[in-house]
């Protein structure tokens, strides 16, 4: 079974703090993704990566950056956390290719910024 | 990109079949239909996907209409553990890394 793990289930931070959210997958997937999920808005893609050190912006990249130094690990960074970044953050991974790639999700990190 | 429309909520009796509809009238010829579900406070879980033909796996069946403008996810014998939000997603043709999740359907399975 594919396993995607996230470093924390719950996180509380203060405005202006730098926040690191880490995601690890154990299935040698090339693609990794970060989403945020908010009530009434569904899941929105922040960034994704299709290879080590490669990244592409999703739909809402503002205020976020990412890092992928190793294939299995994809980090989301909030440079200066703000209250509007309070949300559920979900990481996902998938195989590369132009066929049908299923995304597998981690359990999520619920971030509260005070 | 094709968008999907789903009812916000549905009820189903335990042990009965749950039929969840999805409209995707602007779907393109090579776009796949995916279904995921999300149980409260967990990450989304893959259920099934299809292109044109009906599909079945150990979790569910997917029925896609001939014109591909709508589909139905069928859980043949719903249990209380199937209570979740179910998302119907059409994967864009040239942005195969992007899954657009809408608001989904909250399925309430009742004893």
């Amino acid at each position: 079974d594919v396993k995607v793990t996230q470093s924390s289930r719950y996180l509380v931070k203060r405005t202006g703090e730098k926040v690191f959210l880490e995601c690890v997958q154990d299935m040698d997937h090339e693609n990794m993704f970060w989403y945020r999920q908010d009530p009434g808005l569904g899941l929105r893609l922040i960034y994704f990566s299709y290879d080590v050190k490669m990244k592409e912006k999703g739909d809402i990249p503002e205020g976020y950056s990412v890092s992928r130094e190793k294939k299995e690990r994809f980090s989301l960074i909030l440079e200066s956390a703000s209250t509007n970044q309070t949300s559920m953050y979900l990481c996902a991974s998938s195989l590369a290719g132009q066929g049908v790639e299923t995304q597998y999700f981690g359990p999520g990190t619920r971030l509260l910024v005070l | 990109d094709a968008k999907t429309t789903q009812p916000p909520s549905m009820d189903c009796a335990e042990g009965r079949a749950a039929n969840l509809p999805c409209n995707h009238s602007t779907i393109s010829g090579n776009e796949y239909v995916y279904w995921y579900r999300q149980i409260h406070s967990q990450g989304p879980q893959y259920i099934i996907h299809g292109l044109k033909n009906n599909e079945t796996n150990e979790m569910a069946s997917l029925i896609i209409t001939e014109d591909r403008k709508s589909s139905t996810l069928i859980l043949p014998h719903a249990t209380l553990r199937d209570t979740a939000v179910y998302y119907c997603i059409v994967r864009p043709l040239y942005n195969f890394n992007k899954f657009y999740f809408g608001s989904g359907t909250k399925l309430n399975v009742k004893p």
Side-chain angles (χ1 to χ4, degrees):
Chain A
D1 278 354
V2 175
K3 193 164 185 184
V4 180
T5 57
Q6 295 182 228
S7 49
S8 306
R9 289 301 305 273
Y10 301 95
L11 210 51
V12 180
K13 296 291 182 181
R14 297 209 173 272
T15 302
E17 278 193 80
K18 192 169 187 175
V19 182
F20 293 88
L21 302 181
E22 194 165 74
C23 175
V24 178
Q25 49 93 7
D26 67 356
M27 284 302 292
D28 205 34
H29 284 172
E30 290 81 6
N31 300 329
M32 296 188 75
F33 310 81
W34 276 106
Y35 294 87
R36 64 177 282 177
Q37 183 176 29
D38 301 287
L41 296 176
L43 274 73
R44 293 179 291 168
L45 182 65
I46 304 172
Y47 268 98
F48 70 96
S49 168
Y50 50 90
D51 202 351
V52 175
K53 297 191 186 296
M54 305 302 287
K55 62 184 179 185
E56 280 199 32
K57 293 180 180 178
D59 299 314
I60 51 163
E62 296 78 21
Y64 303 94
S65 62
V66 290
S67 172
R68 187 140 180 230
E69 297 296 319
K70 293 185 177 181
K71 190 176 185 179
E72 68 272 16
R73 199 175 297 265
F74 191 35
S75 300
L76 180 69
I77 303 150
L78 287 66
E79 296 290 343
S80 178
S82 63
T83 55
N84 62 14
Q85 292 178 310
T86 290
S87 187
M88 168 76 108
Y89 289 87
L90 290 157
C91 174
S93 72
S94 73
L95 286 168
Q98 296 194 16
V100 179
E101 298 85 39
T102 299
Q103 292 193 11
Y104 296 90
F105 285 82
T109 296
R110 196 168 290 278
L111 173 67
L112 173 63
V113 182
L114 299 174
Chain B
D1 297 325
K3 296 294 188 285
T4 62
T5 304
Q6 298 177 255
S9 66
M10 292 181 64
D11 291 336
C12 178
E14 189 178 18
R16 303 296 293 267
N19 297 279
L20 292 93
C22 179
N23 286 319
H24 31 79
S25 57
T26 60
I27 192 169
S28 299
N30 292 329
E31 289 183 303
Y32 284 83
V33 179
Y34 276 77
W35 283 83
Y36 278 74
R37 73 179 182 183
Q38 189 172 23
I39 296 169
H40 184 63
S41 295
Q42 296 182 23
Q45 177 190 21
Y46 166 78
I47 302 173
I48 200 167
H49 71 273
L51 181 63
K52 295 179 183 178
N53 300 319
N54 299 337
E55 302 288 344
T56 296
N57 64 18
E58 64 278 3
M59 288 182 69
S61 295
L62 174 61
I63 308 298
I64 302 174
T65 57
E66 195 169 338
D67 63 8
R68 302 209 328 120
K69 293 184 177 182
S70 66
S71 60
T72 301
L73 178 74
I74 300 171
L75 307 178
H77 305 286
T79 70
L80 297 178
R81 287 179 294 180
D82 291 322
T83 292
V85 178
Y86 287 77
Y87 295 98
C88 169
I89 301 153
V90 172
R91 194 190 70 184
L93 180 61
Y94 296 111
N95 282 316
F96 50 84
N97 285 317
K98 291 194 173 185
F99 280 63
Y100 290 95
F101 285 75
S103 299
T105 296
K106 174 67 191 300
L107 177 67
N108 298 299
V109 180
K110 300 185 175 181

